[in-house]
Amino acid sequence: MSEVFNGYERQYCDLSANLSKKCSSAIALDGEQKKQKLSEIRSGLENAEALIRKMDIEARSLPPSIKSSLIVKLREFKSDLNNFKSEVKRITSANLNAAARDELLEAGLADTKTASADQRARLMMSTDRLGRTTDRIKDSRRMMIETEELGVSVLQDLHSQRQSLLRTGDTLSGVDENVGKSKKILTGMTRRMNRNKWTIGAIITALVAAIILILYFKLTK
């Protein structure tokens, strides 16, 4: 297990516990105190995202046997971070809705004679559409960041696979060279064996011929 990853993990767990406490306390606050608490929470979320990116880079630099378990942890951390973001959206949305209601009430009191129910309804709908549009923009930005991180991860994996293929190619070239040398050695040994066979055959033939000549001369005397 990587000590660097473990250090990042401890920092994230401490930060996660701190964010959980702040989210719980932000619900009971209002006004400037709530805005300040939400600002602290957003800052903590940015730090948490930075830690997750560091853990992701560290995990993908480790061997596959270790990397797989760390990737599972990373998914849990990302899910935990997304839950915090959803909670912040919910708190912010409640705050915005309260502010919008206050503005509508003030506008209604300032001009009760000219304001109408339809106008107030349209204003509420506009505020609601604005909130949904803001949420969609934030979701799109989050998806873009996740897509970018996925692209970096894929490129790193492709690079490691390319290095593995290059090393395999070098190994195969060495094996092919050794096979060629072995073939040459075997061919030379075969040629020497053939020459030895012919030499032995010639010696045997000469010996047989000599024996026949000796017997012939003895028999003719």
Side-chain angles (χ1 to χ4, degrees):
M1 187 70 70
S2 170
E3 290 297 329
V4 177
F5 187 93
N6 288 338
Y8 291 148
E9 183 180 3
R10 286 192 293 271
Q11 292 180 39
Y12 179 82
C13 290
D14 294 339
L15 186 57
S16 177
N18 190 23
L19 285 172
S20 180
K21 292 178 182 178
K22 288 182 177 180
C23 286
S24 299
S25 63
I27 296 173
L29 299 176
D30 56 7
E32 290 298 325
Q33 291 181 341
K34 192 169 191 176
K35 289 181 180 179
Q36 183 178 357
K37 186 65 68 175
L38 286 172
S39 178
E40 294 176 2
I41 293 172
R42 291 191 184 96
S43 178
L45 289 176
E46 291 177 358
N47 294 334
E49 285 181 338
L51 282 173
I52 286 177
R53 283 195 293 271
K54 290 178 181 178
M55 283 190 283
D56 187 46
I57 293 172
E58 177 65 20
R60 296 186 185 282
S61 66
L62 297 174
S65 57
I66 302 175
K67 179 171 69 173
S68 57
S69 61
L70 298 184
I71 292 296
V72 173
K73 281 189 176 182
L74 272 173
R75 290 191 186 126
E76 294 176 357
F77 293 154
K78 288 180 180 179
S79 176
D80 181 60
L81 184 62
N82 287 333
N83 289 336
F84 279 126
K85 289 180 180 179
S86 299
E87 182 67 14
V88 170
K89 286 181 184 179
R90 189 178 67 81
I91 297 171
T92 305
S93 177
N95 194 33
L96 288 174
N97 289 336
R101 285 195 298 270
D102 292 340
E103 290 178 1
L104 285 173
L105 289 173
E106 290 175 3
L109 291 173
D111 196 11
T112 54
K113 293 181 180 180
T114 58
S116 66
D118 292 336
Q119 289 174 335
R120 287 195 296 272
R122 284 196 295 271
L123 183 57
M124 287 292 291
M125 290 174 62
S126 298
T127 304
D128 187 54
R129 282 198 298 270
L130 181 61
R132 287 198 298 269
T133 302
T134 303
D135 290 341
R136 284 197 294 270
I137 291 173
K138 290 181 179 178
D139 290 338
S140 299
R141 182 175 179 274
R142 178 178 58 80
M143 291 178 64
M144 181 181 68
I145 293 174
E146 291 178 354
T147 303
E148 181 182 356
E149 292 175 350
L150 179 61
V152 172
S153 172
V154 170
L155 288 175
Q156 290 176 345
D157 290 340
L158 288 174
H159 177 71
S160 63
Q161 291 174 7
R162 179 177 178 273
Q163 294 299 324
S164 299
L165 289 173
L166 289 174
R167 288 194 294 270
T168 303
D170 293 339
T171 303
L172 290 175
S173 297
V175 171
D176 184 64
E177 183 178 353
N178 292 333
V179 170
K181 290 180 180 178
S182 300
K183 184 178 179 181
K184 289 180 181 179
I185 293 171
L186 290 174
T187 302
M189 291 175 65
T190 303
R191 289 176 180 173
R192 284 196 296 272
M193 289 175 64
N194 289 333
R195 283 198 300 269
N196 291 338
K197 285 181 181 179
W198 284 106
T199 302
I200 293 171
I203 292 171
I204 292 172
T205 303
L207 289 173
V208 171
I211 292 170
I212 292 173
L213 287 174
I214 292 170
L215 291 174
Y216 175 77
F217 285 122
K218 282 186 177 183
L219 292 174
T220 55
K221 286 182 178 182

